[in-house]
Amino acid sequence: MEAPMTAALDEQWKAHRLRVEAQLPLYVAAHADFPETLRESMLYSLMAGGKRLRPVLVLLAAEACGGQWQEALPAACAIEMVHTYSLVHDDLPAMDDDDLRRGRPTNHVVYGEAMAVLAGDALLTLAFEVIAQHIADKSVAAECCLDLANASGPLGMVAGQVADLAAEHAGEATVEQLEHIHRRKTGRLLCSALTLGGRVAKADTDTLLALARYGNAVGLAFQIADDLLDVQGDPQKLGKQTQKDATAGKLTYPSLIGAEASRSKAEGLIKEACQAISGMGKKGKPLIDMAQFVLSRDH
Ligand code: IPE
Ligand code: IPE
Ligand code: MG
Ligand code: MG
Ligand code: MG
């Protein structure tokens, strides 16, 4: 079910991706005096490519709320740093033990496990420094730190990763358990992209709630698509190995309910997401297109 993204989204995505990719190394380089190997290892994973979905969503959400992408750029870079850290750690031998990411050997394969752990630590902490330092309105900066910490910490992504590992080869599982894992390991961080953009643009409470509903639905759909791509995707396009989840005994949507039911669950979530932001009208169009991309993506 291949549906190319709309030309308009393609163009906006590319422009925003280039803005994020121009800024990311500047934030890393801003500290003149830190170990060269650490810098290399951080930049190796951060600048390896990747879709930049989360930072682009931050910028699109800010614009959909009437804000400027420039004001949202620190938050966009921060979430990409947190996401990249999560990938570096996710790939470690103690976790998913992967050797290919974003089309390159994984961080620990190149720099060793200790440096990969530390580069991840450094990306995570730098993210919060970037928000605190570069978002001009300090009360907005504090709200953004709270959103991102909540989404990525022991209530969010880290909790989801713990549950993901605990569910490996665990036998009997329910769809509720699986949904809980996916919402936390992937959904919450993706959702925070939307609320970060909204907060920077000073969106009102109802709009933030609508963005959060959209983000939670798209976030879960995104991980269902990731599970499907592990079974059906092309490693060349994905830049990572496929057929890994079954070998690792991961609890995934296709393994629990089958590919067809997984796809229709994702379709339902994308409808729910689009419905949540229908009140935004024309301004929400790029987010609607983005939701469709998540459903049809092949990378
Ligand atoms: C991969 O995320 C990890 C998941 C949460 C499923 P992405 O598919 O967004 O990876 P990149 O950033 O494009 O490499
Ligand atoms: C990713 O889940 C969740 C993270 C928080 C990184 P996966 O383990 O399925 O992601 P991939 O398939 O390795 O990218
Ligand atoms: Mg994992
Ligand atoms: Mg993994
Ligand atoms: Mg996966």
Side-chain angles (χ1 to χ4, degrees), residues 90 96 101 185 223 226-227 230 240 245 252:
D90 182 75
D96 290 354
R101 171 67 68 183
K185 78 170 182 178
Q223 184 62 45
D226 183 81
D227 288 356
D230 182 81
K240 61 185 182 185
D245 291 340
T252 66

Side-chain angles (χ1 to χ4, degrees), residues 56 140 148 175 210 285:
V56 168
V140 171
L148 191 55
V175 182
K285 178 73 168 66

Side-chain angles (χ1 to χ4, degrees), residues 88-188:
V88 171
H89 283 194
D90 182 75
D91 291 335
L92 284 168
M95 294 190 70
D96 290 354
D97 193 10
D98 274 304
D99 56 12
L100 187 70
R101 171 67 68 183
R102 294 179 162 172
R104 294 181 173 185
T106 42
N107 195 294
H108 65 268
V109 166
V110 178
Y111 294 96
E113 282 180 49
M115 190 52 66
V117 169
L118 293 167
D121 293 343
L123 287 167
L124 171 61
T125 40
L126 183 58
F128 290 93
E129 186 176 319
V130 163
I131 291 181
Q133 195 168 353
H134 297 284
I135 293 188
D137 182 324
K138 295 306 167 201
S139 89
V140 171
E143 285 171 4
C144 288
C145 280
L146 188 56
D147 262 14
L148 191 55
N150 251 304
S152 54
L155 298 173
M157 189 268 290
V158 174
Q161 291 285 66
V162 170
D164 172 278
L165 294 174
E168 271 182 20
H169 300 294
E172 288 287 289
T174 63
V175 182
E176 288 70 31
Q177 264 171 290
L178 173 59
E179 182 168 326
H180 194 61
I181 294 173
H182 279 24
R183 284 195 185 276
R184 296 214 273 179
K185 78 170 182 178
T186 300
R188 302 241 3 234

Side-chain angles (χ1 to χ4, degrees), residues 76-88:
C77 291
I79 200 171
E80 186 63 14
M81 286 176 189
V82 172
H83 168 60
T84 302
Y85 126 76
S86 82
L87 299 179
V88 171

